């Protein structure tokens, strides 16, 4: 069903890409570490591969399936790492002056 030639194929591919973007936000809120984003992304997509294999009773062999999932893995990892690194690199406020109650 994945492919550029049919509207359902294009819709499915767009759904996979939107899913990668929302999962990148999930990495930001649940993982919060830029170094761990790639690990969690590959783990999620590996479990998805296993689920597809069990559900369809055969290993995914179409080129478009693999291309879509490689692109989605790269998008999810890159955007998730970018978002996490933005939070990690925020300045830490250093207010060393003592507070006075005048």
């Amino acid at each position: 069903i994945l492919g550029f030639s049919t509207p359902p194929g294009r819709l499915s591919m767009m759904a996979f890409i939107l899913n990668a973007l929302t999962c990148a936000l999930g990495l930001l809120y649940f993982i919060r570490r830029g170094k761990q984003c790639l690990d969690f992304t590959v783990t999620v997509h590996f479990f998805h591969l296993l689920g597809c294999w069990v559900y369809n009773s055969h290993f995914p062999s179409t080129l478009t399936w693999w291309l879509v999932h490689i692109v989605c893995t790269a998008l999810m990892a890159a955007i998730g790492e970018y978002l996490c690194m933005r939070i990690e690199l925020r300045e830490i406020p250093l207010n060393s002056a003592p507070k006075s109650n005048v």
Side-chain angles (χ1 to χ4, degrees):
I1 191 169
L2 290 176
F4 291 111
S5 60
T6 62
R10 288 190 294 266
L11 185 64
S12 294
M13 290 188 346
M14 291 302 288
F16 277 116
I17 291 172
L18 289 174
N19 183 36
L21 298 177
T22 56
C23 286
L25 290 175
L27 289 174
L28 173 65
Y29 289 110
F30 294 115
I31 306 305
R32 294 193 173 266
R33 294 288 313 230
K35 291 182 178 181
Q36 296 176 342
C37 285
L38 181 62
D39 296 336
F40 280 92
T41 299
V42 171
T43 302
V44 165
H45 281 85
F46 177 72
F47 285 137
H48 181 259
L49 170 68
L50 290 179
C52 289
W53 192 359
V54 168
Y55 182 77
N56 293 324
S57 301
H58 68 279
F59 193 75
S61 60
T62 59
L63 180 64
T64 55
W65 191 91
W66 284 102
L67 289 176
V68 166
H69 283 82
I70 288 171
V71 167
C72 289
T73 302
L75 271 174
M76 183 176 162
I79 294 172
E81 189 169 337
Y82 172 74
L83 293 173
C84 289
M85 292 300 284
R86 283 189 58 194
I87 296 222
E88 286 180 0
L89 294 176
R90 285 186 186 165
E91 290 186 17
I92 300 172
L94 299 174
N95 294 334
S96 61
K99 294 181 181 179
S100 62
N101 295 327
V102 178

